Amino acid sequence: MTTLLIADDHPLFREALRGAISRALPEARLREAHNVDALYAMVESEPDADLLMLDLNMPGVHGFSALVHLRAQYPQLPVLMVSAKDGEYDQAEALDFGADDYLVKPFALMELVARARARQRPQVGRARARPAIGEDRPRGDHQRRQRRRVDGGKGGGGKAGRQRADAR
């Protein structure tokens, strides 16, 4: 049976998640926490849950402290950060601190359910196709071409991006 954990301080948000997940994954067992103490107790009682959906801004949490604590204590627990913070640095930091994924509020409940289903797929036998970030890899023209593909060759958006693209 699939066990999904929801940690968010907004009762209406938890209710919406519960409803969407219950309809899409009726066999799933859901547990909820509304603050950091309830979060830690919930994870302690469900250390092998299939997914934890963790709000970045819960009462009693400072920055990524809950994520860092959970990663140290329960490294096997998949964590999907859910936050209204939509900055690329917030998302990158969450992933660097150990989140497996990041969703920006508001999001389509269908997307959340799809991500929860994706976590259920077997991970056994999947080899890494390329080195992890930070491992040695070739550098040079390939990376510049790849960067242009990602940002459309414009160096990002806005005036600063156009200036960077013009400088190339």
Side-chain angles (χ1 to χ4, degrees):
M1 177 183 298
T2 300
T3 301
L4 303 174
L5 310 178
I6 301 170
D8 196 291
D9 60 317
H10 295 95
L12 292 176
F13 185 74
R14 289 195 316 270
E15 182 181 332
L17 285 179
R18 186 180 336 111
I21 292 169
S22 295
R23 284 187 299 278
L25 302 168
E27 77 288 351
R29 193 166 65 99
L30 298 173
R31 300 273 320 270
E32 299 177 26
H34 66 282
N35 63 34
V36 71
D37 292 331
L39 164 66
Y40 292 156
M42 176 177 68
V43 172
E44 184 176 335
S45 70
E46 299 284 351
D48 295 317
D50 295 287
L51 181 65
L52 166 63
M53 292 162 271
L54 176 61
D55 182 19
L56 182 57
N57 296 316
M58 285 185 51
V61 175
H62 303 285
F64 295 97
S65 62
L67 176 61
V68 170
H69 172 79
L70 291 170
R71 268 294 158 247
Q73 299 297 314
Y74 309 97
Q76 78 288 352
L77 178 65
V79 178
L80 168 63
M81 293 299 298
V82 179
S83 177
K85 289 188 170 195
D86 64 353
E88 62 188 42
Y89 292 107
D90 297 312
Q91 295 174 37
E93 276 189 305
L95 296 170
D96 286 344
F97 279 118
D100 295 289
D101 204 351
Y102 193 103
L103 264 178
V104 177
K105 293 178 187 176
F107 51 82
L109 291 175
M110 183 191 297
E111 182 179 2
L112 172 73
V113 169
R115 289 174 191 249
R117 282 188 183 131
R119 294 299 313 165
Q120 292 180 295
R121 290 186 201 126
Q123 301 295 314
V124 178
R126 287 189 182 178
R128 284 193 324 201
R130 57 189 123 131
I133 292 175
E135 291 182 0
D136 289 337
R137 66 178 80 167
R139 301 194 185 281
D141 286 337
H142 170 73
Q143 282 186 327
R144 281 191 288 278
R145 283 193 305 275
Q146 185 68 28
R147 185 171 50 246
R148 285 190 186 118
R149 269 187 241 126
V150 170
D151 65 19
K154 296 179 181 154
K159 184 177 179 181
R162 285 190 299 278
Q163 289 171 343
R164 283 194 305 275
D166 293 341
R168 288 188 191 140

